[in-house]
Amino acid sequence: MSSASCFHCGEPIPAGASLCARIGEYQHAVCCIGCRAAVEWIATLGLQDYYRLRGTPADRAVPVDDYSAWDRVQVQRLHVRRHDDGGAETCVLVEGLRCAACSWLIERALRDVPGVRDVDVNPAAKRLRVVWAPDTIALSEILTRLARLGYEPHPIGAEALDALAQREERAALKRLVVAGLGTMQAMMYAVALYAGAFEGMNPATRDFFRWIGLLVTTPVMIYAAPVFFVGAWREWRARQFGMDTPVALALGLVYVASVFETLRGGSQVYFDSASMFVFLLLSGRYVEMHARHRAADVVDALARLQPALAQRRDSSGALETVGVHELETGDTVVIADGAAIPADGSLLSPSCLVDESLLTGESISRERRRSELLIAGSIARSGPIQLRVVHIGAETILSSIVRLAARAQQQRPHWARLGDRFAARFVVGILVLALATAGAWLLIDPSRAFAATLAVLVVSCPCAFALSAPTALTRAMAVLARQGVLVLKPDALEKLVRVNHFVFDKTGTLTYNRVELAEITALSDRCADACLDLAAQLEQSNTHPIALAIRAATVTAHDAQATSLRNIPGEGVEGEIDGRTYRLGRSSFATTMTQAPPAVADDDVVLADSSAVLARFAFRETLRDDAVATLAALRADGTALEILSGDSLSRVASLAMRLDIADFHARMGPGEKLERLKSLRGAGAVIAMVGDGINDAPVLAGADVAIALGGGAQLAQSSADIVLAGDRLGALIDARTLAQRTLRILRQNIYWAAAYNFTLVPLAAIGWISPWLAAIGMSTSSVFVILNALRIAIPHNPPRVADFTVDMSTTTKPVPA
């Protein structure tokens, strides 16, 4: 029952300690009360298989903290998002989360808890996403259960993110430095041994250099190499072979054989090969870690955008500095020039410039006008400005983007899963080949059997196969995230390349959720410009979309102001200008003052006074700035375009004419849209659906690639494969171009890995490649795959929407009244 190390955390047991934890009939020595509690709690849950599956010991358990603060409203505003169905969702950093066994333990321990709806664990990013029913279980109780397992949760913040990344990088760098120093020393003494083999060396000198090689290589094996042995042990216990198995087998064989040969004064030692092998492998993993951190930096940078403090106006109008968690919906906040916006809010100032580059990928600051929504995390470039808080904390668009990006990192793409399965089978094949090589050389020339077998194990490491897909796809997702494109399902990139039919929703997707003035028809002796000026004065303080469109079309300011303004909801506005009464609105409302109303439709928007109808105003939906050019670029790429909308036929036809789309359908509900997608798919089309509304969610789910706009409904985004975080439809072109480049590089990596292994493995088997040369070749192959993946970027001259200029005079026509 005695043990030199703790059963739970692996740390040395203090002298005189006699604590034990019971699992079934067996007792296991532990170092402290915390570890005993963790072991017994895991056993109580029936999850003792965790100790069989884990690859590394857990962190030392500490007394469980009080997590009741997580139930406070102010804290949950920042870290918890409420669902429409009454559920809640949060994402936390988990200290001590190391491997797949940790994920297995956490998921099984939490998913069976009443009230917990969903649990997702990402061991690479050390994050836990949990969805629960607040009316059934409190968040503090969930986190307490997690802590009792030995994993400490932390809110996602800049300090926690930096601490985790720095710890991982420091540990990797220390292993790399030890391996590098050991390799240099081992190689230096190996040169003397190699020279002595040719020039002659007395046995005493030879043995001296061998013992020195053993001394400098042993720290490498003890400190730097255990990561491979632990990984191999985890693979064997999980009965799933991976890249660590042949690496650990080769390292163990070469070190043990070299020690044995040193002790008995044999003919050959391989200390230099062992040290070099570890160093080159760790170098490749260090490069891989940096690539992974660069990909995660996008999500982490988004998480850092929201400031901790805000300037709020109190009831007296004075400014006070408060924490962001203290803001309430409806508060007025002042943002200085160059400061970050603390919450989603409606702009109260007349206008401002806002930098949304990290959120949307647009490098040019955008102009926002009064009443438009400003996104938390964006930067005010023409402050100070004021806004009224609409969403705070976890309900902001920024938090939604962070959650979507984090969810994307948790999923394994199709190519990565294929690579893992192939690597596992490849390892089995290599082990069989290594045994066959050893047997053959024992019959032919026993003195060369060990070197040839070792070379086969080293040169055939499946690292390149296993890394080819994850590195390429992770890099692509990171690059697209910087352009405002969030890939939620990595398989979507492969499908996006194959898409030959784009289907668009109309309202909110091809158009903004606002209208613009299309035409003014003068119906009296007053000119159209004079009627527009009168209408703008009547709508001077109105926030109705029609009022905003009229004011936006007005180019001159007026000293005269309308008085006695009266808004009639659903009808229009009435007011006096220079002593005369005017009405603007539906014709049935505006013409009641006139003596002889002309023939105008009831729904027409008209301006009238007491004597006559003065003008008729026609409005149309406002096209997104790059809609025409984006569709032209897609059309030039050979894809078919189609509009499916629930709007009226006249409006859909008008928009289709402006966009030069011949295939459009109006008055379609979600069911009819799904039937249309099925019909297109039956004809051989690979479909991408682009939408933004709640009613688009089922249709997005039925497409081959679902693309949602970041400003759209949450339900639409949850059904999407790709989310465009900004207002740029042109980001579709970036995504498609990068997806094509990614697949090319992915294929290059796979072809390279296959060519490398199928060329060099036979050469190693026949003894043409020595172990040290095999180590260089294997590590070079892995580094090549990683560096090749880092070439993935948006080209300097991609097919941009600006390259497809369109004469708007021929595509924009007045909308019929």
Side-chain angles (χ1 to χ4, degrees):
M1 188 179 67
S2 61
S3 176
S5 60
C6 177
F7 176 70
H8 181 70
C9 69
E11 292 189 8
I13 295 179
S18 59
L19 293 173
C20 294
R22 178 179 293 276
I23 298 181
E25 299 178 356
Y26 300 96
Q27 287 189 331
H28 303 275
V30 292
C31 63
C32 63
I33 295 176
C35 286
R36 183 176 67 180
V39 173
E40 293 178 348
W41 174 248
I42 291 171
T44 301
L45 297 175
L47 300 175
Q48 55 268 27
D49 278 351
Y50 158 72
Y51 292 105
R52 178 179 62 85
L53 296 173
R54 66 177 179 173
T56 57
D59 284 346
R60 183 169 186 170
V62 297
V64 176
D65 291 336
D66 180 10
Y67 294 99
S68 59
W70 284 79
D71 295 331
R72 296 177 61 182
V73 175
Q74 294 87 343
V75 175
Q76 294 206 356
R77 282 175 184 163
L78 291 180
H79 303 292
V80 176
R81 183 175 73 90
R82 300 291 176 174
H83 292 181
D84 294 336
D85 60 0
E89 174 185 343
T90 191
C91 186
V92 295
L93 284 172
V94 181
E95 187 173 349
L97 178 56
R98 298 175 182 272
C99 61
C102 298
S103 302
W104 179 90
L105 174 63
I106 293 172
E107 288 178 356
R108 281 158 180 78
L110 297 183
R111 276 183 176 160
D112 292 335
V113 175
V116 175
R117 298 179 179 178
D118 192 22
V119 177
D120 287 320
V121 183
N122 183 353
K126 303 185 184 301
R127 294 181 185 178
L128 164 69
R129 172 183 165 270
V130 60
V131 181
W132 77 99
D135 55 350
T136 304
I137 187 172
L139 176 58
S140 59
E141 185 176 346
I142 297 174
L143 298 181
T144 299
R145 286 175 173 264
L146 179 64
R148 290 183 67 182
L149 295 173
Y151 302 97
E152 188 175 357
H154 301 280
I156 296 180
E159 292 182 1
L161 291 169
D162 289 340
L164 284 174
Q166 287 174 3
R167 278 200 296 270
E168 182 182 9
E169 186 163 345
R170 278 199 300 265
L173 189 58
K174 285 191 290 186
R175 287 194 297 267
L176 185 61
V177 168
V178 170
L181 292 174
T183 299
M184 287 189 291
Q185 295 296 319
M187 289 297 296
M188 181 175 66
Y189 297 118
V191 168
L193 288 173
Y194 294 146
F198 290 102
E199 302 295 334
M201 179 180 292
N202 66 69
T205 305
R206 181 200 64 188
D207 291 342
F208 171 76
F209 282 118
R210 287 183 176 181
W211 280 103
I212 295 296
L214 173 62
L215 289 176
V216 299
T217 303
T218 299
V220 175
M221 301 300 296
I222 293 176
Y223 184 80
V227 62
F228 305 110
F229 295 110
V230 168
W233 179 239
R234 182 173 63 243
E235 291 169 1
W236 277 82
R237 285 196 298 184
R239 298 175 178 84
Q240 183 176 2
F241 296 120
M243 66 180 72
D244 285 333
T245 296
V247 170
L249 190 58
L251 284 175
L253 285 175
V254 72
Y255 181 74
V256 171
S258 298
V259 172
F260 180 73
E261 291 293 299
T262 299
L263 292 174
R264 78 179 188 94
S267 60
Q268 183 113 23
V269 294
Y270 303 95
F271 291 123
D272 56 325
S273 297
S275 299
M276 182 189 297
F277 193 22
V278 173
F279 174 71
L280 293 175
L281 277 171
L282 290 177
S283 298
R285 292 199 175 189
Y286 192 78
V287 174
E288 177 195 0
M289 182 193 67
H290 266 288
R292 176 162 45 83
H293 282 179
R294 287 178 62 183
D297 280 347
V298 178
V299 180
D300 294 347
L302 289 172
R304 302 167 196 269
L305 283 179
Q306 192 170 34
L309 303 174
Q311 297 291 315
R312 181 177 65 184
R313 288 202 182 278
D314 59 20
S315 57
S316 65
L319 287 180
E320 59 176 347
T321 301
V322 298
V324 171
H325 63 278
E326 298 180 66
L327 294 177
E328 300 279 355
T329 300
D331 283 349
T332 298
V333 178
V334 177
I335 299 100
D337 187 19
I341 296 172
D344 290 354
S346 175
L347 181 64
L348 298 178
S349 303
S351 65
C352 71
L353 292 177
V354 181
D355 180 1
E356 301 174 352
S357 57
L358 193 53
L359 289 165
T360 66
E362 300 180 54
S363 58
I364 300 176
S365 297
R366 297 177 59 93
E367 182 180 6
R368 298 294 186 184
R369 298 182 179 180
R370 190 191 305 273
S371 300
E372 289 191 335
L373 183 70
L374 301 186
I375 302 174
S378 51
I379 306 298
R381 291 302 185 196
S382 56
I385 60 173
Q386 295 189 75
L387 63 81
R388 179 174 290 109
V389 175
V390 176
H391 299 298
I392 57 176
E395 301 297 329
T396 62
I397 293 176
L398 171 64
S399 295
S400 175
I401 292 173
V402 171
R403 281 192 303 272
L404 292 172
R407 190 181 77 185
Q409 290 185 339
Q410 293 174 349
Q411 299 186 359
R412 294 281 290 169
H414 170 70
W415 282 93
R417 295 193 300 270
L418 282 180
D420 289 343
R421 285 199 295 270
F422 182 83
R425 295 173 182 173
F426 182 75
V427 168
V428 174
I430 288 303
L431 295 177
V432 173
L433 178 60
L435 290 175
T437 301
W441 278 107
L442 285 174
L443 295 175
I444 300 171
D445 185 356
S447 65
R448 301 181 60 184
F450 182 78
T453 304
L454 186 62
V456 169
L457 288 172
V458 172
V459 82
S460 61
C461 178
C463 301
F465 277 120
L467 293 174
S468 57
T471 50
L473 293 173
T474 301
R475 170 65 178 173
M477 292 166 63
V479 172
L480 285 176
R482 293 188 181 95
Q483 300 297 317
V485 181
L486 300 178
V487 182
L488 306 186
K489 298 174 184 176
D491 291 341
L493 288 178
E494 179 188 358
K495 294 177 182 177
L496 186 61
V497 174
R498 297 188 288 108
V499 166
N500 55 23
H501 199 111
F502 274 87
V503 176
F504 292 88
D505 175 51
K506 180 179 71 71
T507 306
T509 302
L510 295 172
T511 65
Y512 292 112
N513 289 314
R514 62 175 184 263
V515 296
E516 62 184 4
L517 184 61
E519 186 179 32
I520 305 174
T521 303
L523 301 176
S524 66
D525 55 352
R526 298 207 185 190
C527 68
D529 289 340
C531 293
L532 177 61
D533 293 341
L534 291 172
Q537 293 178 62
L538 292 173
E539 299 284 19
Q540 59 185 309
S541 59
N542 202 338
T543 59
H544 190 278
I546 286 179
L548 297 176
I550 288 175
R551 292 206 302 270
T554 306
V555 295
T556 57
H558 303 275
D559 295 331
Q561 297 291 326
T563 59
S564 302
L565 289 172
R566 186 167 65 97
N567 287 305
I568 295 86
E571 297 293 339
V573 61
E574 177 183 291
E576 293 185 7
I577 301 176
D578 294 332
R580 195 179 189 110
T581 301
Y582 295 89
R583 281 187 174 183
L584 175 68
R586 295 164 62 99
S587 60
S588 57
F589 161 74
T591 58
T592 55
M593 299 191 307
T594 63
Q595 300 175 356
V600 290
D602 288 343
D603 289 337
D604 283 350
V605 177
V606 300
L607 174 70
D609 59 12
S610 58
S611 61
V613 175
L614 305 180
R616 179 173 58 208
F617 296 83
F619 299 88
R620 65 185 178 191
E621 294 173 293
T622 305
L623 280 176
R624 288 189 178 271
D625 297 335
D626 57 353
V628 173
T630 298
L631 298 184
L634 291 174
R635 193 180 294 110
D637 199 27
T639 58
L641 305 176
E642 184 171 343
I643 298 176
L644 300 182
S645 176
D647 209 344
S648 65
L649 178 61
S650 61
R651 291 182 179 179
V652 178
S654 173
L655 185 74
M657 179 177 62
R658 295 166 67 189
L659 294 172
D660 194 22
I661 295 179
D663 199 354
F664 58 89
H665 301 269
R667 298 292 185 189
M668 298 189 78
E672 294 168 303
K673 292 180 180 180
L674 277 173
E675 288 299 321
R676 176 58 181 166
L677 294 188
K678 291 179 182 177
S679 175
L680 291 171
R681 192 177 288 110
V686 180
I687 305 164
M689 174 71 191
V690 188
D692 80 314
I694 291 178
N695 62 328
D696 293 325
V699 189
L700 288 170
D704 295 296
V705 181
I707 303 172
L709 272 69
Q714 292 289 338
L715 184 57
Q717 295 179 15
S718 65
S719 301
D721 301 315
I722 297 173
V723 171
L724 308 182
D727 290 333
R728 291 191 311 123
L729 270 181
L732 279 176
I733 308 301
D734 292 340
R736 192 171 167 89
T737 301
L738 192 76
Q740 293 167 344
R741 184 176 179 85
T742 299
L743 285 189
R744 283 198 302 270
I745 288 181
L746 180 65
R747 292 190 182 100
Q748 289 173 7
N749 284 348
I750 291 175
Y751 293 155
W752 163 261
Y756 163 81
N757 278 284
F758 292 125
T759 300
L760 295 189
V761 168
L763 296 179
I766 63 177
W768 287 10
I769 298 178
S770 62
W772 68 269
L773 188 58
I776 294 177
M778 186 282 302
S779 300
T780 302
S781 175
S782 299
V783 172
F784 172 83
V785 165
I786 296 169
L787 295 180
N788 193 39
L790 293 178
R791 295 194 304 114
I792 295 175
I794 301 293
H796 294 298
N797 54 348
R800 298 170 302 171
V801 294
D803 298 331
F804 297 88
T805 55
V806 180
D807 185 357
M808 296 300 293
S809 65
T810 62
T811 59
T812 56
K813 299 179 173 60
V815 177

